[in-house]
């Protein structure tokens, strides 16, 4: 679950090193790089976030988590904590990322100023395969 923030910090640090050295990249590519990593890791992160919601019924026994049979589902305790963390992670990573992508797509025409951070070139992870 910490993969996305760690990759974001790593990319931001690397981009800062590149900006301070002679290997300058054209334009501000940090947003595109972070977006590319986000789209690359999206499926894996969603699967990890949704693991606490995956429960199985046991023959003659309580409903337990699929991958942790010692955790009883929906009875508070450890499972309640896992569900809370999972819900917060879903809101922050999945819903937040999808809201950002939706905003960029809906305001595509307004993203035409090359001097701004939110420009088409900096959002190639979204618009790289499309031609207006």
């Amino acid at each position: 679950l910490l993969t996305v923030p760690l990759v974001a910090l790593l990319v931001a640090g690397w981009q800062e090193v590149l900006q301070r050295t002679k290997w300058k990249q054209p334009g501000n590519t940090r947003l595109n790089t972070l977006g590319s990593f986000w789209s690359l890791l999206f499926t894996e992160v969603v699967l990890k976030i949704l693991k606490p919601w995956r429960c199985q019924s046991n023959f003659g026994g309580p409903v337990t988590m699929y991958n942790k049979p010692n955790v009883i589902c929906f009875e508070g305790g450890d499972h309640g904590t896992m569900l809370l963390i999972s819900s917060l992670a879903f809101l922050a990573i999945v819903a937040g990322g999808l809201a950002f992508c939706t905003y960029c797509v809906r305001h595509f025409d307004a993203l035409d100023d090359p001097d701004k951070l939110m420009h088409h070139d900096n959002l190639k992870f979204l618009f790289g395969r499309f031609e207006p």
Side-chain angles (χ1 to χ4, degrees):
L1 198 56
L2 294 174
T3 306
V4 173
L6 290 176
V7 167
L9 286 174
L10 182 69
V11 168
W14 180 249
Q15 291 285 334
E16 194 61 37
V17 167
L18 289 178
Q19 292 297 324
R20 295 178 187 270
T21 62
K22 61 181 178 176
W23 299 318
K24 293 190 185 244
Q25 296 178 345
N28 187 348
T29 59
R30 184 176 299 156
L31 186 60
N32 186 45
T33 306
L34 291 175
S36 297
F37 277 113
W38 178 79
S39 61
L40 177 72
L41 297 172
F42 183 77
T43 304
E44 183 64 29
V45 170
V46 169
L47 290 175
K48 296 275 188 212
I49 288 173
L50 296 178
K51 267 190 178 179
W53 295 95
R54 201 168 165 209
C55 296
Q56 68 180 0
S57 59
N58 298 312
F59 185 71
V63 176
T64 60
M65 281 184 60
Y66 182 75
N67 60 340
K68 293 186 185 276
N70 59 339
V71 177
I72 299 173
C73 288
F74 307 109
E75 297 226 352
D78 289 340
H79 192 251
T81 306
M82 289 180 193
L83 290 177
L84 177 66
I85 292 170
S86 171
S87 300
L88 292 174
F90 185 86
L91 287 174
I93 295 172
V94 179
L98 291 176
F100 173 75
C101 291
T102 303
Y103 172 82
C104 292
V105 169
R106 291 186 56 85
H107 295 89
F108 182 81
D109 293 335
L111 304 174
D112 218 10
D113 186 3
D115 294 331
K116 292 188 177 179
L117 174 67
M118 299 276 289
H119 182 256
H120 299 145
D121 290 340
N122 298 334
L123 300 170
K124 284 184 182 176
F125 73 98
L126 278 178
F127 305 125
R129 294 180 203 103
F130 302 105
E131 293 195 24

